[in-house]
Amino acid sequence: MKRTWNLILSCLALCGILFFTLPQAYAYFTTYVAGRGVKEINLSHETKIEEEIPGPLQKSVTVTLEEGSQPVYVRVLAIAPTNTTLTYTPSQGWSQGNDGYYYYNTYLTEQNTSTNPLLIKIEPDQENTPTEFNVVVLSESVPVEFDEDGNALSPNWGKAIQIERGGRS
Amino acid sequence: MKHIKDFLSKPATTITLLVLAAVLLIQSGIGTTKAALTYFSPTYNSRLQLTQIGVSLLENDKVISSRDYQSEGNWNENNNANDIQNTGLLFSDVEENIKLGKRYPTVLEVQNSGQIPEFVRVTITKYWLDENDQKVTTLDPDLIELNYVNKDDWFQIDEDTAERAVYYYKNLLEVGKKTTPLIDSIKIDGKLQEHKKVVETIEDGKKVTTSYYTYDKLKFCVEAKVDAIQEHNAAEAIHSSWGKQIAVNGTTLSRN
């Protein structure tokens, strides 16, 4: 019995020693605030070629930017059979490149969605005129790049990009 | 175990432990009594300090969020958040259709909106989110370029990770004063549009090729968290609350 009481008292004393040797806890005055910003990146762009036939063997081509697209530069090229001559009459804003393409000098945006018309006259070779032939109009676009001040940089039509090919279905 | 029980059961051991516990009890009581006497002494009352700490995060001179102690455990919290996450909203001045490559002014500062001088630090975290607001770990957060300025006033202890940077303001922030700006602009790198995916499908017996920008419709996210701490016993307070050992020389912090 005495031994048991000694054991109990020793344990209680040990607990007391541990308690009184614990370091005192201090509270400090602190506070905090936070801010968070999230913005979506829109990289997609889609253009559409609109053709009108103002007269025989003529095409009037306009390129239009679809809604929700990022700003783009555009260029146009018409492809015809070899014995056919194409004559371009560019309206304001179009200029001919050295590579046969016609380039629109201003980039298209959601506020400026359409180019001025580009008139193409088609003159097939009189001696070897086929009864039917196609003149295909090709339009290409590249996204506008900006400098740090928000000014548009000149378009880079030859820029290499990384392409990952996905699966087939 | 038997040995321990035998040892603790000895009368000599019991008496020794009891005496030691009693000594410790008296010692802690003396300290408490001294504090009580000091509290009620006229000298202690005259040195009573205000404890209303408060801090605000500013973007382009506008308060994004603030948290100031009032009294009795109540805080005055203010944030201009319109979203559900209860934090202030950054980049409200940035246009919705971000132009890649363009640098947008975003001046981040901290202001002492409390009643006592304080030291502050800012933790900046940046990352990409997909359309489901899940973090995208395959895209480099460094494509979110934040321009850090005033590097003479802000210092770091730990190296940045790709996502996170912590800056400590060197100077004590007096009541009502602002820090110098930590960040002054943000830019998203144009490299994002140099990666496309091309997918081929068969529709109505014809091959259809669709190409799209890999990172289209992703979102960038930047979080700024400000911590403020009391001036008094700053070194101990910082070590205890922030877990960092920082040298305090008067009103200036520096790396240890």
Side-chain angles (χ1 to χ4, degrees), chain B residues 48-66:
Chain B
L48 184 63
Q49 291 184 338
L50 294 172
T51 58
Q52 289 163 305
I53 193 168
V55 75
S56 299
L57 172 65
L58 278 64
E59 184 194 23
N60 298 333
D61 265 335
K62 289 181 291 192
V63 175
I64 297 299
S65 58
S66 66

Side-chain angles (χ1 to χ4, degrees), chain A residues 3 6-7 9-11 13-14 16-17 20-21 26-45 70 110 143-150 159-169, chain B residues 6 8-9 14 17 25 51 53 55 65-67 75 85 88-91 94 96 99-103 127 187 193-198 200-202 213 216-226 228 230 236-237 240:
Chain A
R3 192 183 142 89
N6 283 342
L7 181 61
L9 283 173
S10 296
C11 289
L14 261 178
I17 290 167
F20 291 124
T21 53
Y26 290 101
Y28 297 108
F29 298 115
T30 64
T31 186
Y32 64 91
V33 288
R36 187 171 186 264
V38 179
K39 288 279 184 188
E40 187 177 273
I41 302 294
N42 177 26
L43 300 178
S44 63
H45 56 88
Q70 63 162 318
E110 289 207 316
V144 180
E145 294 179 22
F146 296 91
D147 65 14
E148 292 199 347
D149 296 324
K159 187 172 186 176
I161 58 173
Q162 195 177 353
I163 295 182
E164 180 185 332
R165 297 205 175 260
R168 260 177 202 252
S169 65
Chain B
D6 287 340
L8 289 176
S9 303
T14 307
L17 289 173
L25 174 62
T51 58
I53 193 168
V55 75
S65 58
S66 66
R67 189 168 184 266
W75 292 84
Q85 292 194 352
L89 202 61
L90 296 174
F91 310 142
V94 175
E96 283 307 308
K99 294 185 173 74
L100 302 192
K102 180 180 175 182
R103 192 165 285 285
Y127 49 90
K187 180 182 96 169
Q193 51 194 13
E194 292 177 7
H195 198 282
K196 276 186 147 181
K197 275 190 177 170
V198 175
E200 293 177 347
T201 55
I202 304 293
Y213 290 95
D216 186 31
K217 299 294 181 281
L218 289 190
K219 300 173 220 176
F220 68 88
C221 177
V222 176
E223 296 174 353
K225 181 174 176 251
V226 182
Q230 64 186 49
E236 289 82 9
S240 173

